[in-house]
Amino acid sequence: MMNVPLLDLKLQYATIKDECLKVTEEIYSSQYFILGPHVEALELEIAGYCGTDYAVGVSSGTDALLLSLMAAGIGAGDRVITSPYTFFATAGAIARVGAVPVFADIDPDTYNLSPESVNRIVEGLPTAEKQRIKAIMPVHLYGQCADMDEIADIAVSNGWLIIEDAAQAIGAEYKGKRAGSLGDFGCFSFFPSKNLGGFGDGGIVTTGSKRLFDMLVILRVHGGHPKYYHQYIGGNFRLDALQAAIVSIKLKHLDAWTAARQANAARYRQMIKDAGLSGYIRAPLEKHDRHIYNQFVIEVSEKRDVLKDYLLKNGIGCEIYYPVPLHLQACFSYLGGKAGDFPNAEHAAGHTLAIPVYPELTASQQAYVVEQIKAFRDDNH
Ligand SMILES: *Cc1c(COP(=O)(O)O)cnc(C)c1O
């Protein structure tokens, strides 16, 4: 049996260990732990990388979303449109500022928010309700951008802000523009398992607006401006110097790691075809360049859960992102969501499976993964 973890960060660490230890020692010696020069340097680097004017380092991807909503002035009674098929934090952040998440269905091919569904949902709302919508929060799921032209058209014509949940999509591109530069705010996570991860929690918000940048910076430190004089109520959303320094080191390698993920994705695609598995599993659809493959997610036509257990038993890491669409989560029952509301999201939750695609994954490991899927399919038909 071969061991193929879903992600193996130890291999990556071995290639950057010396640099990481050096900067860690520097920070320990300086005893300058929060914000400061390492965070400012990273903010410039990320703004450059994403093609935006500004970036603000924050404590996590979740806090990037929360802080953006706060900087946008979104609060009690406001509505924000988003996808029901995403990590919980997307809608969680909306609810935490007192606003109401309004879900629309996803595109069954990309699993990203469907502009047609957004239009349908909004048209079905009474005028008073429609006027309470302040923003739309598309998610660039698995590392591929949502249909941003169509989403921007809807947002602009209705006067909504666009908050990109780009936590899985650093470096992803849509028509030549990078994730984080396609809306008013771009929210990124440096959670260790993201393509650009720190040695703990961290995140960053990008924006092209000086006004929104100023608000983000003020609200990041409790809203005091000048310090101890509060026109606003913010929070502690600060990024650690240590995380910023580590992320800066990794950023230099990100394009090479992304290229390796893309090569692995292409190889899987070929292997799935060659193994005659195309009728049983569907490889992810690349609708927009550049897909950065934070995850390589297959759609399994039947027995997804049994396949998952079989792969795990045979040493292959795999995971369901995500098993319960957000409109069916217990904590959102007050929104009145029910099974059947968003058929594409519900279908995805029941049929998708992420398999290993990390940069250091070898061709023989991939061959083993595809072999095992084939063995399972052959035994179950
Ligand atoms: C990871 C993730 C987040 C949250 O990021 P954290 O840094 O873990 O708080 C938000 N949205 C999506 C889509 C994510 O994948």
Side-chain angles (χ1 to χ4, degrees), residues 182-258:
L182 301 162
D184 297 283
F185 299 94
C187 302
F188 295 91
S189 165
F190 300 137
F191 186 76
S193 71
K194 305 293 159 110
N195 285 27
L196 182 63
F199 287 180
D201 278 312
I204 205 160
V205 183
T206 54
T207 184
S209 156
K210 176 72 165 71
R211 183 183 65 82
L212 296 176
F213 168 74
D214 289 341
M215 281 303 290
L216 290 165
V217 169
I218 292 169
L219 292 173
R220 174 171 65 178
V221 287
H222 294 287
H225 184 66
K227 204 174 181 183
Y228 306 127
Y229 292 81
H230 291 259
Q231 210 180 323
Y232 311 104
I233 302 169
N236 171 4
F237 299 118
R238 298 176 303 234
L239 179 62
D240 288 348
L242 185 63
Q243 301 309 335
I246 297 295
V247 169
S248 278
I249 290 170
K250 289 196 180 188
L251 182 60
K252 289 181 280 174
H253 301 271
L254 183 60
D255 286 333
W257 291 336
T258 297

Side-chain angles (χ1 to χ4, degrees), residues 83-86 103-108 111-112 321-328 341-352:
S83 167
Y85 187 64
T86 173
F103 298 115
D105 209 353
I106 56 167
D107 175 336
Y111 311 110
N112 279 325
Y321 301 117
Y322 299 89
V324 183
L326 300 185
H327 66 290
L328 300 179
D341 284 352
F342 304 111
N344 296 338
E346 291 164 33
H347 181 86
H351 292 84
T352 55

Side-chain angles (χ1 to χ4, degrees), residues 60-63 65 86-87 89-90 139 141 165 167-168 189-191 194 201-202 322:
S60 70
T62 303
D63 285 344
L65 296 165
T86 173
F87 181 58
T90 315
V139 182
L141 201 68
D165 183 340
Q168 300 181 4
S189 165
F190 300 137
F191 186 76
K194 305 293 159 110
D201 278 312
Y322 299 89

